[in-house]
Amino acid sequence: MKFGMNKRDFIAIGIMLAMCILSFILLNRSGETGTYAEVHIDGKLYASYPLDQDRTEKISCGGGHNTVVIKDSYVYISDADCPDKYCVSQGKIRETGGSLVCLPHRLVVEIKADRNTEVDAVAK
Amino acid sequence: MSKRVARVGIFVSLAMIFSYIEAILPFNFGIPGVKLGIANIVVVTALYQLSFPETAGISFVRIFLMGLLFGNLLSLAYSFSGGLLSLLGMVLCKRLKLSVIGVSMIGGVLHNMGQLAAAILILKSTALSYYMPVLIISGLVTGFLIGIASMKIISSTEKTVLK
């Protein structure tokens, strides 16, 4: 076989591809527009903003800052002083389950369908 | 013993040079966090030509020194987590009689998985887990390329000074 690869290699690669497809199906976003953007810093909920109100928030976190913008129901990070700027290049999101991540600043913005508070849970 | 120390030292310096080349000339695939990881050629080669303790030593000394020289505590944590998982997976695959390329491909995927696990622990959020399919595919592709290079090196250095 080419490159000296054998049957066991293809079994292992097959398992990896199966994991890939499985994780793609399990972790796929719902496709529905969310209603809230939750901002988490270092695993803790920092703020929850409704998507129907436009706003610009400069958030201090992890020794720097990220500017989170909500405009026309979309959330994006317009500016940050982290070294890689991957958070800015992740673009605009609005689907439930979608997220923007700034790894160096440990900032996560997640789109939720409902506001996650104790009060709402009781009101239901 | 001194011969083994010298040999490990040579491999570590080679791996560090590869890491450095990749840092100044990134082989970018246009996907955040995805890179070729040419230093892994050294680790895969060591896995086949040296003992397991030597290979583990090469991998971790390289990660530690590169983290100390060019990274920070966080980048060290990602590299260590990826390096550890990848090394253990590759040893297992080698025992299971996979070819050099197969071992390298699994190593590539597990390297990415380890880094993702570290990122999830550091962020205390599973928000990044959606990235897993991308990381599996990119690990297979980069592992394949690293595997070809390693296979060539292993077959052409088999009967040399390394033994």
Side-chain angles (χ1 to χ4, degrees), chain B:
Chain B
M1 182 64 200
S2 56
K3 196 178 169 188
R4 289 176 79 187
V5 172
R7 200 158 56 186
V8 169
I10 291 167
F11 272 73
V12 168
S13 41
L14 195 59
M16 285 178 73
I17 288 168
F18 279 174
S19 300
Y20 185 65
I21 290 171
E22 188 149 41
I24 54 174
L25 279 176
F27 305 103
N28 210 324
F29 290 83
I31 311 165
V34 173
K35 58 176 191 170
L36 194 47
I38 50 173
N40 289 317
I41 295 173
V42 178
V43 178
V44 176
T45 306
L47 194 64
Y48 279 86
Q49 299 198 324
L50 310 180
S51 65
F52 175 69
E54 286 171 293
T55 308
I58 290 160
S59 181
F60 294 129
V61 170
R62 173 194 79 91
I63 287 164
F64 180 71
L65 289 178
M66 289 311 286
L68 207 64
L69 287 171
F70 304 106
N72 52 47
L73 211 59
L74 276 183
S75 64
L76 192 64
Y78 297 127
S79 301
F80 182 77
S81 164
L84 179 67
L85 199 62
S86 154
L87 185 68
L88 294 177
M90 289 199 294
V91 169
L92 182 71
C93 287
K94 196 187 159 218
R95 291 257 164 91
L96 292 172
K97 302 259 183 299
L98 269 71
S99 75
V100 178
I101 293 179
V103 166
S104 172
M105 287 172 86
I106 300 303
V109 172
L110 290 177
H111 211 281
N112 289 347
M113 296 288 99
Q115 298 206 341
L116 181 65
I120 286 170
L121 286 177
I122 289 167
L123 277 175
K124 301 187 188 91
S125 158
T126 53
L128 272 177
S129 58
Y130 77 93
Y131 213 46
M132 193 145 118
V134 178
L135 291 177
I136 293 175
I137 298 293
S138 71
L140 288 174
V141 173
T142 56
F144 180 73
L145 298 172
I146 296 300
I148 290 176
S150 307
M151 189 187 65
K152 297 277 180 203
I153 293 170
I154 291 163
S155 61
S156 58
T157 55
E158 226 158 20
K159 291 169 187 132
T160 60
V161 67
L162 293 173
K163 282 283 154 72

Side-chain angles (χ1 to χ4, degrees), chain A residues 25-73:
Chain A
I25 294 165
L26 290 177
L27 304 169
N28 209 3
R29 292 171 197 182
S30 64
E32 288 162 25
T33 305
T35 50
Y36 281 92
E38 281 185 7
V39 179
H40 297 259
I41 299 170
D42 205 11
K44 291 185 188 75
L45 184 64
Y46 169 83
S48 181
Y49 304 124
L51 288 184
D52 52 13
Q53 291 163 24
D54 290 359
R55 70 168 76 219
T56 302
E57 298 282 344
K58 189 168 174 176
I59 296 165
S60 300
C61 49
H65 66 82
N66 296 67
T67 306
V68 176
V69 179
I70 298 176
K71 197 168 187 298
D72 305 327
S73 300

Side-chain angles (χ1 to χ4, degrees), chain A residues 3 16 39 53 55 66 76-77 84 90 92 103 106 116 119 121-123:
Chain A
F3 304 120
M16 290 297 148
V39 179
Q53 291 163 24
R55 70 168 76 219
N66 296 67
Y76 63 97
I77 295 175
D84 53 28
Q90 282 167 27
K92 298 180 179 185
L103 213 42
R106 302 187 202 183
N116 181 20
V119 182
V122 173

Side-chain angles (χ1 to χ4, degrees), chain A residues 105-117:
Chain A
H105 291 170
R106 302 187 202 183
L107 174 92
V108 178
V109 181
E110 263 185 295
I111 308 287
K112 299 277 178 180
D114 299 298
R115 190 166 218 165
N116 181 20
T117 62

